[in-house]
């Protein structure tokens, strides 16, 4: 199998964890939480203000983080190639060393004479506030891509990318076009609530082409997407008594359900809404196979299923969504059912929240290894 991960830019995270709500309020005021773009000067001011707070520097970015985890999971059965742009600086070296250490093929990463992208993440009592700075010259551009990069001879081939690529005109459209021409499956992460809000029309236009196989979003992104969907697309559960729905703590708000329904109508294999500490919802797409639906039920009688999360003590939720994506996509690459994919996604998400930053340590990998077994997946640690 072959997975091509296409990221708009390489990113290095500066993760600061504090239990002082006053500091977070001083830094961000009423704008705590979520993600926002800043310039280099604003980023440096933030880092100076955090100079007395312990900071962990870790290579990150939604797609690279997923690629790093996926390469580890699929080490015995396939390769993961990363296409992105990276600066020729210390952060760029750190980024590439981390990717290479887990087996990601970085031979197609482009090197720029500009600073590598950086993101300051302040985690305070479970709430994350992210401020990202990416130099214009250190972004992947549509003309950087070639059809040959997408062509393959593998029996199972995927492209994983993020809706953050919509910030660069024409980039996501070219990724989807080349992937479709090459017969690759396409998995899309919806990036952030802010991205969905600002790029909703472009995102929906692309989804409605029917080229996306899997779309994964969190509940904030789903809420934002669902606001634009009419009530007629509301999706209601019709699966009382199924073992993985009895523990559902509450029904999702209507915008979330409308988003899940909408995505399921546009995606070929599955639409996924992650719910943080509560688990995830999965709805089969328009062309999900009978093998993928095993243990799930007919879409007509079971339009979506709730999968509870695993009970762990969360230390830091940075990278948990990307970890979930890697587990879910690994399951699809390995031919697992949607139910098993959800289990693997939740297991990876639970492993990720037990460490600070987006890079899993040995104990976290051992946790995933133990919890991947019920889905028939074994990995070497």
């Amino acid at each position: 199998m072959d997975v091509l991960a296409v990221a708009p830019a390489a990113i290095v995270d500066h993760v600061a964890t504090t239990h002082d709500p006053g500091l977070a309020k001083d830094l961000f005021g009423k704008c705590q939480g979520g993600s926002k773009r800043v310039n280099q000067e604003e980023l440096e001011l933030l880092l100076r203000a955090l100079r007395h707070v312990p900071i962990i520097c870790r290579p990150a970015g939604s797609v690279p983080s997923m690629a790093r985890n996926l390469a580890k999971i699929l080490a015995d059965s396939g390769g993961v190639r990363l296409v992105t742009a990276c600066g020729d600086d210390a952060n760029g070296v750190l980024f590439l060393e981390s990717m290479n250490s887990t087996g990601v093929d970085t031979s197609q990463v482009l090197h720029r004479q500009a600073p590598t992208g950086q993101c300051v993440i302040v985690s305070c009592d479970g709430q994350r506030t992210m401020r990202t700075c990416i130099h214009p010259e250190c972004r992947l551009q549509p003309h950087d891509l070639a059809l040959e990069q997408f062509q393959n001879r593998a029996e199972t081939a995927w492209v994983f990318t993020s809706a953050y690529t919509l910030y660069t005109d024409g980039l996501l459209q070219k990724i989807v076009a080349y992937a479709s021409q090459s017969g690759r499956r396409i998995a899309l992460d919806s990036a952030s609530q802010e991205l969905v809000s600002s790029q909703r029309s472009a995102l929906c236009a692309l989804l409605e082409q029917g080229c996306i196989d899997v779309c994964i979003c969190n509940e904030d992104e789903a809420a934002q997407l669902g606001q634009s969907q009419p009530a007629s697309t509301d999706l209601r559960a019709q699966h009382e008594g199924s073992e993985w729905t009895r523990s559902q703590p509450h029904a999702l708000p209507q915008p979330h359900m409308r988003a899940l329904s909408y995505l399921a109508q546009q995606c070929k294999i599955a639409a996924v809404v992650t719910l943080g500490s509560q688990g995830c919802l999965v709805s089969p797409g328009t062309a999900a196979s009978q093998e993928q639906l095993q243990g799930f039920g007919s879409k007509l009688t079971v339009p979506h299923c709730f999968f509870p999360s695993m009970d762990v003590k969360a230390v830091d939720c940075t990278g948990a969504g990307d970890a979930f994506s890697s587990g879910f996509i690994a399951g699809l690459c390995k031919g697992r059912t949607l139910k098993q994919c959800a289990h693997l996604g939740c297991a990876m998400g639970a492993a990720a929240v037990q460490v600070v930053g987006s890079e899993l340590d040995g104990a976290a990998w051992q946790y995933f290894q133990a919890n991947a077994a019920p889905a028939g997946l074994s990995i070497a640690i």
Side-chain angles (χ1 to χ4, degrees):
M1 65 187 68
D2 178 57
V3 178
L4 187 65
V6 186
I11 298 282
V12 170
D13 279 351
H14 304 274
V15 184
T17 302
T18 178
H19 299 289
D20 180 4
L23 174 61
K25 184 177 181 180
D26 289 343
L27 290 173
F28 307 112
K30 296 181 179 180
C31 298
Q32 293 183 57
S35 175
K36 181 181 177 181
R37 299 202 159 207
V38 296
N39 59 37
Q40 190 68 33
E41 182 180 358
E42 291 171 317
L43 185 89
E44 291 173 359
L45 284 172
L46 263 179
L47 289 172
R48 281 200 292 271
L50 292 165
R51 62 187 179 277
H52 299 304
V53 178
I55 292 180
I56 296 177
C57 296
R58 295 277 175 84
S62 176
V63 175
S65 295
M66 188 285 307
R68 185 174 55 221
N69 292 331
L70 192 59
K72 179 90 171 179
I73 300 171
L74 301 179
D76 64 339
S77 56
V80 178
R81 292 183 289 133
L82 178 63
V83 177
T84 190
C86 181
D88 282 327
D89 56 8
N91 284 325
V93 171
L94 177 65
F95 177 87
L96 291 173
E97 286 179 347
S98 175
M99 294 298 114
N100 291 328
S101 70
T102 54
V104 176
D105 181 348
T106 60
S107 62
Q108 295 180 41
V109 173
L110 302 174
H111 297 264
R112 309 288 204 204
Q113 296 297 317
T116 299
Q118 299 178 77
C119 179
V120 174
I121 301 175
V122 178
S123 179
C124 182
D125 296 333
Q127 183 179 48
R128 288 184 309 157
T129 305
M130 305 168 65
R131 296 295 181 262
T132 304
C133 176
I134 303 176
H135 194 283
E137 294 182 14
C138 212
R139 297 177 186 275
L140 195 68
Q141 299 295 328
H143 64 256
D144 293 323
L145 300 176
L147 181 60
E148 291 74 18
Q149 293 172 300
F150 291 76
Q151 293 173 338
N152 73 93
R153 295 189 178 93
E155 182 178 349
T156 302
W158 282 82
V159 166
F160 183 87
T161 193
S162 164
Y164 279 126
T165 51
L166 284 169
Y167 281 135
T168 302
D169 289 343
L171 181 57
L172 183 54
Q173 291 83 350
K174 195 161 190 179
I175 293 168
V176 170
Y178 279 172
S180 299
Q181 290 176 47
S182 303
R184 286 181 178 268
R185 297 287 193 182
I186 305 169
L188 179 69
D189 172 76
S190 62
S192 71
Q193 179 182 4
E194 292 76 14
L195 180 286
V196 176
S197 176
S198 64
Q199 302 286 328
R200 185 189 289 113
S201 296
L203 178 60
C204 290
L206 184 133
L207 286 165
E208 289 166 12
Q209 293 177 13
C211 297
I212 304 300
D213 293 276
V214 175
C215 185
I216 302 173
C217 62
N218 65 29
E219 52 189 322
D220 291 334
E221 295 151 12
Q224 190 65 238
L225 184 62
Q227 289 177 7
S228 65
Q229 304 307 319
S232 60
T233 63
D234 185 25
L235 182 67
R236 299 185 181 278
Q238 300 175 24
H239 43 70
E240 298 252 348
S242 63
E243 59 177 316
W244 53 85
T245 57
R246 282 199 292 268
S247 58
Q248 185 171 358
H250 58 77
L252 276 180
Q254 293 307 307
H256 296 68
M257 301 305 291
R258 288 198 293 269
L260 185 65
S261 175
Y262 169 76
L263 290 172
Q265 293 170 27
Q266 313 308 325
C267 295
K268 296 177 185 177
I269 294 177
V272 183
V273 175
T274 60
L275 307 174
S277 62
Q278 295 176 8
C280 71
L281 281 164
V282 179
S283 184
T286 58
S289 69
Q290 289 302 309
E291 290 78 12
Q292 291 165 336
L293 288 171
Q294 285 181 14
F296 193 101
S298 163
K299 183 173 181 178
L300 294 177
T301 58
V302 187
H304 76 266
C305 282
F306 168 75
F307 299 87
S309 63
M310 298 175 185
D311 188 16
V312 298
K313 182 178 180 180
V315 175
D316 179 20
C317 57
T318 302
D322 305 327
F324 175 94
S325 295
S326 63
F328 195 93
I329 298 302
L332 289 173
C333 289
K334 289 282 195 176
R336 298 301 185 263
T337 67
L338 292 179
K339 182 179 179 181
Q340 290 172 322
C341 291
H343 176 89
L344 292 168
C346 289
M348 274 298 292
V353 300
Q354 297 179 63
V355 299
V356 176
S358 59
E359 196 165 356
L360 274 62
D361 61 15
W365 278 114
Q366 288 175 0
Y367 175 89
F368 175 71
Q369 183 185 48
N371 285 277
L377 189 67
S378 61
I379 65 168
I381 299 297

